[in-house]
Amino acid sequence: MKTKFYSAFLALMTISSSAQSQTGWVGISTPNPHANLDVNGTMKIRQTPVAPALPGYQILAVNLNTGGDFQVAQITPQLISDYVIGQVNTTNGISTSVYAARKTSGLSLINVGVLPSGFRPVNFSTTERKLGLESLFSDTDYTYIVPTHGVYAVGFSFRYGTGLQAALLSSSPGVGILRTRAGASTLIDNRTFNGANLGLLSLTISESSINNLFTFQAGDKISFGITRASVLEVGALGSSISSFYIYKVSN
């Protein structure tokens, strides 16, 4: 019995010494470890404690290095959240999908050709930008450029001048959101103007908005504008106000 015990002990000592490098690193199934503990094989954990709450805890993840081995590192839960909703600008901490703009003067509707339902985009430009990266918006065709595939929250509002003749409401002008993908344009949402007749002035204050979720693909171009725009008076556009926001909420 003693002989067997000593033999097993010596065998373990031999394995331990042969797997330990000069730096003090220990390898399992490898004679040349590259970390404090280098495991060349699978690993099993029988039991793990349950974290009472996510804040305060780190998450272990593995990264496949170019050499073919997996490097284990800790990451914060916030990094995972940032990855899900898109990359975050390291300068201001804002998701690189976020963009918001507001136009309070010089508003006009751009005629960029035949579009669905007589749609004409508002002449937003990067000078109206309130939040977001300039690279997300094109001053050439007045569109937001979708950076990555995913689900986006979008809001668009438009107030037409200070009033609109009630008779024009029968033509049902309104606000719309247009998506252009691979050269094909589609009106993905629209709302007609809501009005309140002012009686003696025979005018209707017109304002409408869209707030919805949409799935976009990288490279989609999003335009914000008016449907059936031909019935609107150009003179009233100068006193109109419009704004939009867009940001990614999920992959």
Side-chain angles (χ1 to χ4, degrees):
M1 178 63 70
K2 289 183 179 181
T3 301
K4 293 182 179 179
F5 175 81
Y6 289 143
S7 299
F9 179 78
L10 290 174
L12 288 174
M13 290 293 292
T14 302
I15 294 175
S16 177
S17 62
S18 63
Q20 185 171 356
S21 68
Q22 294 180 354
T23 61
W25 293 349
V26 176
I28 298 177
S29 297
T30 174
N32 186 26
H34 291 83
N36 294 99
L37 177 62
D38 190 341
V39 180
N40 181 20
T42 59
M43 180 176 64
K44 288 185 178 181
I45 300 176
R46 300 294 181 180
Q47 293 182 344
T48 56
V50 178
L54 192 58
Y57 282 82
Q58 300 291 311
I59 298 173
L60 291 181
V62 292
N63 178 45
L64 180 60
N65 294 327
T66 56
D69 57 327
F70 289 90
Q71 176 69 45
V72 180
Q74 66 176 15
I75 58 175
T76 64
Q78 184 63 46
L79 285 178
I80 296 177
S81 175
D82 293 342
Y83 177 79
V84 170
I85 64 174
Q87 294 179 343
V88 170
N89 189 323
T90 56
T91 301
N92 55 26
I94 298 174
S95 170
T96 53
S97 69
V98 170
Y99 199 91
R102 179 176 173 84
K103 197 171 188 70
T104 57
S105 63
L107 191 150
S108 63
L109 302 177
I110 307 302
N111 187 358
V112 292
V114 179
L115 294 175
S117 302
F119 179 90
R120 289 193 179 184
V122 174
N123 64 328
F124 286 110
S125 68
T126 53
T127 58
E128 277 80 44
R129 177 173 54 95
K130 299 299 180 183
L131 192 66
L133 301 175
E134 290 187 9
S135 59
L136 292 173
F137 199 85
S138 170
D139 281 342
T140 302
D141 53 10
Y142 313 98
T143 59
Y144 170 88
I145 305 168
V146 176
T148 57
H149 173 83
V151 178
Y152 287 72
V154 183
F156 173 47
S157 65
F158 188 96
R159 191 192 74 187
Y160 176 70
T162 58
L164 177 68
Q165 293 290 337
L168 289 180
L169 288 178
S170 60
S171 300
S172 302
V175 298
I177 298 176
L178 190 78
R179 183 201 68 209
T180 301
R181 176 182 296 168
S185 298
T186 304
L187 191 67
I188 58 175
D189 206 345
N190 67 292
R191 302 284 190 278
T192 57
F193 284 126
N194 294 318
N197 198 300
L198 299 181
L200 295 177
L201 294 179
S202 188
L203 294 173
T204 302
I205 302 297
S206 295
E207 183 172 359
S208 191
S209 63
I210 297 174
N211 295 278
N212 214 334
L213 294 173
F214 304 94
T215 299
F216 295 135
Q217 296 179 7
D220 285 351
K221 293 188 173 184
I222 311 302
S223 304
F224 304 89
I226 303 299
T227 58
R228 301 188 64 84
S230 60
V231 303
L232 302 183
E233 298 177 2
V234 176
L237 290 174
S239 57
S240 298
I241 296 175
S242 186
S243 64
F244 76 87
Y245 66 82
I246 182 170
Y247 61 93
K248 186 177 181 179
V249 296
S250 175
N251 285 331

